[in-house]
Amino acid sequence: EAQVTQNPRYLITVTGKKLTVTCSQNMNHEYMSWYRQDPGLGLRQIYYSMNVEVTDKGDVPEGYKVSRKEKRNFPLILESPSPNQTSLYFCASSLTGPRGNEQYFGPGTRLTVT
Amino acid sequence: GQNIDQPTEMTATEGAIVQINCTYQTSGFNGLFWYQQHAGEAPTFLSYNVLDGLEEKGRFSSFLSRSKGYSYLLLKELQMKDSASYLCAVGTGGFKTIFGAGTRLFVKA
């Protein structure tokens, strides 16, 4: 089954404790992206990747890191989480990106930073 | 700056037709997408427009006017399961995607 998976689905952590949210897709998509979704603000793009070893900032990249060492995986790293990073996070993938191709979203990761 | 505007909430009756509007101002345009998102779930793709005009897909249609920076999603023969949020998104210059805050649609019996 074609899908995007994220782990963990739920995470409660404390300020400053480094964490990684994994994302994997099995559709051989070139483009992958991370979003956060907050009430009233909608989905905001954090980082995206056009292919292996090619990443770029979205609109809200501060406090986040990403890497794309393999085509299928695109982990999101929070080196020192803060309470303002409490949010619902979605990973998405697309064949070649938003130029004509829809994005497929993972199930989401609900992160709480205390 | 870049922004996408859509109404926050709408209510419609089962069996009726509803139109959800979206206006956008972005630097660059590579197409406009509509996604559906049920509460607690991930967004799923509904439609894509890159040229002016109407795209029809079953009960759902989407319209685009690039000169006006305007799109709408038309839902016909509304069903209770259509109660969800509808997200308007624009592929901007490069490979970025900008989303609107979403329109929450309530379908009542």
Side-chain angles (χ1 to χ4, degrees):
Chain A
E1 180 191 354
Q3 60 182 349
V4 179
T5 57
Q6 294 178 228
N7 283 292
R9 294 288 313 278
Y10 302 90
L11 180 60
I12 300 174
T13 189
V14 296
T15 299
K17 185 177 181 183
K18 181 179 178 180
L19 67 93
T20 299
V21 184
T22 64
C23 173
S24 183
Q25 50 93 6
N26 64 359
M27 295 170 278
N28 202 36
H29 284 171
E30 292 183 354
Y31 182 90
M32 297 185 74
S33 183
W34 275 103
Y35 297 89
R36 60 178 291 173
Q37 187 172 38
D38 302 289
L41 297 178
L43 284 162
R44 292 180 292 166
Q45 195 168 35
I46 303 170
Y47 270 96
Y48 59 94
S49 169
M50 290 76 77
N51 214 324
V52 175
E53 302 291 3
V54 183
T55 63
D56 207 348
K57 297 176 181 178
D59 284 333
V60 289
E62 296 77 20
Y64 305 94
K65 284 176 56 177
V66 293
S67 67
R68 186 94 181 271
K69 298 190 189 319
E70 305 166 282
K71 199 170 188 178
R72 61 170 33 229
N73 296 324
F74 190 45
L76 179 70
I77 303 157
L78 285 72
E79 295 267 6
S80 183
S82 63
N84 64 12
Q85 293 179 298
T86 292
S87 187
L88 178 59
Y89 290 86
F90 287 102
C91 178
S93 74
S94 172
L95 189 58
T96 57
R99 295 182 179 182
N101 300 116
E102 70 270 29
Q103 294 181 64
Y104 295 81
F105 286 82
T109 295
R110 188 166 292 282
L111 172 66
T112 302
V113 184
T114 61
Chain B
Q2 304 194 97
N3 69 286
I4 297 179
D5 290 317
Q6 44 182 135
T8 304
E9 285 185 1
M10 299 182 70
T11 301
T13 305
E14 194 175 17
I17 299 173
V18 70
Q19 178 175 311
I20 302 174
N21 295 323
C22 169
T23 58
Y24 63 90
Q25 284 181 299
T26 59
S27 55
F29 180 82
N30 287 315
L32 188 140
F33 299 83
W34 285 96
Y35 290 86
Q36 180 189 58
Q37 185 178 25
H38 284 100
E41 298 182 7
T44 55
F45 171 75
L46 286 177
S47 69
Y48 170 71
N49 296 70
V50 67
L51 299 177
D52 291 353
L54 189 68
E55 293 282 342
E56 297 187 82
K57 195 188 287 188
R59 294 190 299 115
F60 294 74
S61 303
S62 56
F63 171 83
L64 174 67
S65 168
R66 289 173 297 171
S67 62
K68 294 182 180 178
Y70 169 70
S71 173
Y72 67 72
L73 179 69
L74 196 70
L75 291 75
K76 304 174 190 173
E77 302 169 13
L78 277 174
Q79 303 174 9
M80 299 300 288
K81 68 178 181 179
D82 297 328
S83 292
S85 289
Y86 292 86
L87 315 180
C88 175
V90 172
T92 66
F95 291 88
K96 283 188 178 181
T97 305
I98 305 292
F99 278 81
T103 298
R104 196 183 302 180
L105 175 66
F106 298 94
V107 180
K108 58 183 182 179

